[in-house]
Amino acid sequence: MRDRSLSAALLALSLGYFALGTASLAVVGLSNPIGRDLQVRPATVGTLVTVFALVFALAAPAATIVLGRMCRKRALLLGLGLLVAGGVAAAAAPDYPTLCAARVLAGLGAAVFGPAASAAGSAIVPAERRARALATVFAGMTAASVLGVPLASSAGDALGWRGTMLSVAALTAVAFVLVAGFLPAVEPEPAPTVRAFGETLRARGALPMVGTTFMVMTAQFTVYGVAGAYLADRFGAAQGTVALVLFGFGALGTLGNVLGSRLYARLGGSGTVGVALGCFAAGFAALTGIPGSLPLALPPLAAWAFASGLFMAPQQARLVELLPERRGILLALNASGLYLGMSLGSLAGSALLPGLGARPLSALALLPLALAAAAHLASARRTPHVRAVSESPVPVHH
């Protein structure tokens, strides 16, 4: 593939990830309008993140097995189509249970699209460009927190939460068209089996890597899954201020994503992930200790935001380098760990915020973060020299 065509394909996948990320996280900034309309507490709306994430976590490995023989491009389009259907159903939901059911449908679409997008992005480039390609694809998820979540929060006032959900579905439809137009047909890997998943997870270093992702996302979403209610409770932030803070959070996350590939080239995947974990710890510890002043919260929020963008692309690259011939399985397992962590963290935040208040949440987030650090150290010891820069890419049909 020519570089221009390659860039267009990667950007189309990135837009698909942006649509996925916005669909999964838009409710974070819409908790108040959804709560008022459907007569549930704003903290309860955080369970919509849990529903989406839990479906993703459970369905991603199954989708990889069931659709393993399908051309990756067709699988990606199927996933985006289900995301569109789930978004339209959410916009029309008459009550909270129906809205939860729509989130199940969208979560199924995300489970099909997410792992396939990362695998396709890593497959259409030479091995030495894999980390940058994965950063480009996953930048869509980071950008969802830059633009998707805060814009959804702002659009909730202008369009209502239903209009916002419909707009996200329309954006996903645009991603569908672009992926259909720009991505070449990518040969699937041999169809995986349940046994192959077990063998892959038992490979040296695989389980600690996936465990690191799971614990990092649990730590983050203990707070971020209820971000609107957290910022209002902890720092007295109004709805407009919440949107601005989330916009700044996402912008710094994008910076972390951009710098991640450069740090990866200097420090390697293990070192770059270690830097991200240190930034997470500093941010959560500071958020726990400061008084309820929003200006004082901005530096620790910035450290956390930077780490959120820095972490994922190097972590995915480490997984691909670990077992290149089973990248699809590993990325599906990592995606399950990611969304299972989102589910558990969001559920914990939604359950604990009403009773404990906002301040203890960041302290509680340090517990899974400590487990993430332990898992990362274990993976670094078991895979000290994993670099597959000479490996040829998976064949691509032009």
Side-chain angles (χ1 to χ4, degrees):
M1 277 182 85
R2 293 178 301 175
D3 283 349
R4 184 174 297 180
S5 299
L6 182 63
S7 296
L10 291 173
L11 290 173
L13 291 173
S14 185
L15 181 62
Y17 240 128
F18 176 81
L20 185 160
T22 303
S24 66
L25 298 176
V27 294
V28 169
L30 296 172
S31 56
N32 289 326
I34 291 175
R36 285 193 300 267
D37 187 18
L38 301 184
Q39 298 181 346
V40 295
R41 293 184 302 181
T44 302
V45 178
T47 58
L48 293 174
V49 177
T50 302
V51 169
F52 186 103
L54 187 58
V55 170
F56 187 114
L58 297 176
T64 305
I65 294 172
V66 173
L67 305 177
R69 296 184 183 276
M70 182 182 290
C71 167
R72 290 205 186 280
K73 182 173 181 177
R74 292 181 181 177
L76 290 165
L77 294 177
L78 173 62
L80 289 172
L82 290 172
L83 272 168
V84 172
V88 172
D95 51 41
Y96 193 73
T98 305
L99 180 55
C100 288
R103 297 289 285 175
V104 170
L105 182 60
L108 288 172
V112 173
F113 178 84
S118 294
S122 70
I124 64 176
V125 298
E128 66 272 11
R129 296 176 61 182
R130 192 168 291 143
R132 183 168 295 182
L134 285 167
T136 299
V137 173
F138 204 76
M141 186 69 175
T142 305
S145 62
V146 179
L147 296 174
V149 176
L151 284 180
S153 179
S154 299
D157 292 329
L159 303 176
W161 71 268
R162 296 180 187 277
T164 302
M165 291 289 194
L166 197 58
S167 298
V168 173
L171 175 67
T172 309
V174 171
F176 181 100
V177 171
L178 293 179
V179 169
F182 289 112
L183 187 73
V186 182
E187 283 188 0
E189 298 171 9
T193 63
V194 174
R195 181 178 179 181
F197 269 87
E199 291 175 349
T200 302
L201 200 56
R202 289 193 297 272
R204 185 176 178 87
L207 184 58
M209 285 190 196
V210 174
T212 301
T213 300
F214 167 65
M215 289 300 174
V216 164
M217 299 309 292
T218 300
Q220 286 202 80
F221 274 80
T222 298
V223 182
Y224 194 81
V226 289
Y230 171 83
L231 291 170
D233 188 331
R234 181 77 169 89
F235 303 110
Q239 183 71 14
T241 304
V242 169
L244 288 175
V245 171
L246 291 175
F247 183 87
F249 188 99
L252 287 167
T254 298
L255 178 63
N257 185 270
V258 170
L259 294 180
S261 59
R262 298 181 183 179
L263 282 176
Y264 181 91
R266 292 189 177 186
L267 304 178
S270 179
T272 305
V273 170
V275 171
L277 291 173
C279 292
F280 279 129
F284 290 136
L287 284 172
T288 302
I290 62 174
S293 168
L294 186 58
L296 291 177
L298 296 181
L301 285 170
W304 171 17
F306 180 79
S308 71
L310 183 64
F311 171 77
M312 190 50 66
Q315 182 74 344
Q316 287 185 320
R318 292 181 72 214
L319 285 159
V320 171
E321 290 167 357
L322 180 65
L323 289 172
E325 71 281 4
R326 291 190 175 182
R327 72 187 66 164
I329 294 177
L330 273 174
L331 289 170
L333 289 168
N334 190 62
S336 289
L338 187 154
Y339 277 89
L340 191 60
M342 286 175 59
S343 175
L344 180 60
S346 299
L347 183 62
S350 298
L352 296 174
L353 179 61
L356 295 181
R359 188 166 191 163
L361 292 186
S362 54
L364 291 172
L366 290 169
L367 299 177
L369 189 63
L371 295 176
H376 176 63
L377 289 174
S379 72
R381 286 195 300 267
R382 295 180 188 183
T383 58
H385 304 298
V386 174
R387 293 298 293 265
V389 294
S390 62
E391 182 215 353
S392 299
V394 173
V396 176
H397 291 310
H398 295 275

